[in-house]
Amino acid sequence: MSPTRILTGITTSGTPHLGNYVGAIRPAVAASRTAGVESFYFLADYHALIKVQDPARVQRSTLEIAATWLACGLEPDKVWFYRQSDVPEVQELTWFLTCVAGKGILNRAHAYKASVDKNREAGEDDDSGINAGLFMYPVLMAADILLFNANKVPVGRDQIQHIEMARDFGQRFNHVYGEEFFDLPEAVIDENVATLPGLDGRKMSKSYDNTIPLFVPRDALKKLIYSIVTDSRAPGEAKDADNSNVFQLYQAFASAQETAAMRQAFADGIAWGEAKQALFERIDSEVAPLRAKYEELIARPADIEAVLRDGASRLRARYAQPTLTRLREAVGLRDLSLASTGTAKKAAKASLPLFKQYRESDGRFYFKLVDGERLLLQSVGHESARTAGQLIGRLKQQGGAALHDAGNAAVHLGDELVGHLHEGVDLVEVVEALAQLVAEDA
Ligand code: TRP
């Protein structure tokens, strides 16, 4: 079984706040460490342009968000971490999907419709002030997802409709071009993840201007926490934990035990100042080490740039470019010197041998070489997806001739143990399979 692919994008239009951290970053980093998944996290900077047309802000937000995810523990050699605009295949796929997407479906997208409704209320033209980027937003998002055949897409509720649209566009493309090019993704909504209240008690959100930025300096954090709106109950008066922003924020950072103790303190009439002090210390104890890391990272933007570029370039070579080659062929953007092909060519392609990469429950990275249903070769484990991918690259480049059987079905490339032949498989079959791949690439 190939691993489940989990993919999510973060629009680079703001500064990460505590709500983003608790609602998205912290659970995503934890999930990225689960065995048996291949994770994709990317900075959706093309999406940012729909809303933000201040270039300095787009750049700054991209830097801040990248540094935040890295500071919070995302490991760029274990997950795919990249910037959307470094993968131009996203744009090409967007166009292919645009040409199968029903315009009527886009008319019904919530974000677009909300803008139209606003215009109507204001007595304006339906589409007044609405750019076509907002209208096409769901197609771009579908391309992000379908390009990598993501299975699960963790998102907020407001994004569910977009995932449904991605399924729809993917299905249409599969149907029009007569093959299962795309797996259909599913939205994942984590019911356990808290929505944090902001300073004014409404949901913490950039659009309400009530956020606590994740990495403000310690004293600024304290100031912000002390400015959280509370009721006017005096010290000694019992306080209602369930309706308190201070308590809800505390709960999002505290253990079950700490939370129970705080609930008791509320009932016993803890003073607001004291509750806020406890909240501040609790948040700061979790955030302070991350903040230190963040400050280190953000002081070296060239290093972050290099991490992002490296992620995108490996990802393009591994998935995006081969996929687009296949899709261009599928839609008829083809080499004119090759005979026009119908299904015959498709059948031949489907039966090509294939390297499949995956991660095991031991946390290591593996690949296998398969020919149709037949497993030929099973690799040894690698520390990172990169070293596994590089070995595949060398196998493809050097072909089967460089392989030798070291006995006990162990297959070597030079001095390196690649893996083991599957039971009943002869090395000759592997050599032949590689020859087919090399011929295909040429
Ligand atoms: N639209 C998403 C948001 O605003 C961001 C995003 C862009 C995304 N592309 C994506 C999320 C692909 C998941 C998958 O939250």
Side-chain angles (χ1 to χ4, degrees):
M1 265 277 289
S2 47
T4 303
R5 293 185 178 178
I6 301 185
L7 174 145
T8 200
I10 310 97
T11 308
T12 56
S13 56
T15 296
H17 55 70
L18 289 182
N20 301 139
Y21 173 70
V22 168
I25 303 169
R26 195 171 61 183
V29 171
S32 76
R33 298 188 169 145
T34 327
V37 303
E38 183 175 13
S39 314
F40 299 72
Y41 296 99
F42 69 96
L43 306 163
D45 55 348
Y46 284 139
H47 277 98
L49 305 184
I50 295 166
K51 271 190 296 189
V52 183
Q53 298 184 332
D54 169 353
R57 239 183 92 204
V58 173
Q59 182 189 26
R60 180 70 197 173
S61 172
T62 305
L63 175 64
E64 288 180 352
I65 294 175
T68 298
W69 282 75
L70 293 170
C72 292
L74 199 71
E75 297 168 273
D77 57 343
K78 302 233 167 76
V79 302
W80 296 108
F81 184 51
Y82 57 102
R83 175 170 48 194
Q84 187 186 29
S85 66
D86 283 339
V87 183
E89 288 76 15
V90 168
Q91 283 305 331
E92 194 169 6
L93 180 53
T94 297
W95 185 250
F96 293 172
L97 295 174
T98 299
C99 296
V100 297
K103 177 172 175 289
I105 292 184
L106 295 174
N107 288 338
R108 291 193 287 276
H110 299 318
Y112 169 67
K113 256 179 48 191
S115 300
V116 170
D117 288 347
K118 252 196 206 152
N119 278 335
R120 289 193 184 158
E121 264 168 49
E124 305 270 357
D125 233 30
D126 272 10
D127 284 327
S128 169
I130 299 180
N131 65 49
L134 179 68
F135 188 71
M136 297 305 297
Y137 181 118
V139 186
L140 176 57
M141 184 159 158
D144 292 331
I145 297 168
L146 297 176
L147 180 56
F148 302 111
N149 272 333
N151 311 107
K152 310 236 154 168
V153 186
V155 283
R157 296 197 166 282
D158 58 324
Q159 299 291 319
I160 295 177
Q161 189 196 31
H162 294 147
I163 312 300
E164 281 164 4
M165 290 185 176
R167 294 172 65 87
D168 183 89
F169 306 151
Q171 214 157 18
R172 283 184 197 224
F173 189 97
N174 288 346
H175 179 72
V176 170
Y177 294 105
E179 221 180 295
E180 296 303 301
F181 291 98
F182 299 121
D183 292 348
L184 304 182
E186 275 169 42
V188 183
I189 310 289
D190 191 342
E191 304 290 349
N192 296 320
V193 161
T195 322
L196 288 195
L199 297 173
D200 58 0
R202 292 184 293 174
K203 176 186 171 193
M204 190 180 288
S205 161
K206 201 176 35 171
S207 39
Y208 295 144
D209 197 21
N210 65 356
T211 66
I212 302 176
L214 176 54
F215 292 133
V216 285
R218 188 179 145 90
D219 33 327
L221 178 64
K222 182 166 180 172
K223 257 206 186 128
L224 282 165
I225 286 173
Y226 273 73
S227 78
I228 294 171
V229 175
T230 62
D231 63 31
S232 53
R233 278 170 225 232
E237 260 187 275
K239 296 180 176 61
D240 179 2
D242 291 315
N243 286 310
S244 160
N245 317 328
V246 174
F247 184 79
Q248 277 178 48
L249 282 160
Y250 186 82
Q251 190 168 27
F253 286 87
S255 69
Q257 260 179 353
E258 290 168 314
T259 303
M262 184 56 81
R263 183 178 285 284
Q264 188 57 49
F266 268 60
D268 294 345
I270 187 174
W272 282 123
E274 213 182 312
K276 286 176 173 179
Q277 179 64 28
L279 171 61
F280 162 63
E281 290 298 353
R282 192 65 202 76
I283 293 180
D284 194 58
S285 72
E286 180 163 335
V287 167
L290 309 177
R291 184 196 294 131
K293 191 91 212 297
Y294 174 82
E295 276 159 9
E296 241 173 68
L297 285 159
I298 209 145
R300 307 173 66 96
D303 291 0
I304 295 180
E305 179 68 26
V307 166
L308 292 175
R309 286 198 196 189
D310 174 60
S313 95
R314 286 184 290 117
L315 185 63
R316 291 183 70 201
R318 175 85 183 86
Y319 293 124
Q321 289 171 323
T323 297
L324 259 295
T325 301
R326 185 159 167 250
L327 296 178
R328 289 176 67 101
E329 154 76 23
V331 301
L333 306 182
R334 294 176 177 166
D335 181 336
L336 301 183
S337 73
L338 298 176
S340 171
T341 54
T343 41
K345 178 80 186 281
K346 271 185 198 157
K349 280 219 156 193
S351 71
L352 265 186
L354 192 68
F355 279 105
K356 291 191 174 166
Q357 269 188 279
Y358 57 98
R359 195 172 181 189
E360 273 292 357
S361 52
D362 63 2
R364 296 168 70 80
F365 296 83
Y366 293 81
F367 59 83
K368 52 193 176 187
L369 177 64
V370 295
D371 194 356
E373 295 290 284
R374 192 164 157 74
L375 172 60
L376 300 179
L377 177 76
Q378 166 69 62
S379 82
V380 295
H382 292 258
E383 275 313 313
S384 72
R386 184 179 352 187
T387 55
Q390 283 169 344
L391 182 54
I392 292 175
R394 271 185 285 136
L395 286 168
K396 284 186 177 168
Q397 228 166 38
Q398 302 176 21
L403 287 179
H404 57 97
D405 189 341
N408 283 334
V411 176
H412 281 74
L413 180 66
D415 285 335
E416 183 170 0
L417 175 61
V418 176
H420 294 86
L421 296 172
H422 188 63
E423 216 183 316
V425 173
D426 195 279
L427 184 64
V428 173
E429 292 179 74
V430 173
V431 172
E432 275 172 3
L434 285 173
Q436 275 188 62
L437 288 175
V438 172
E440 176 68 16
D441 274 355

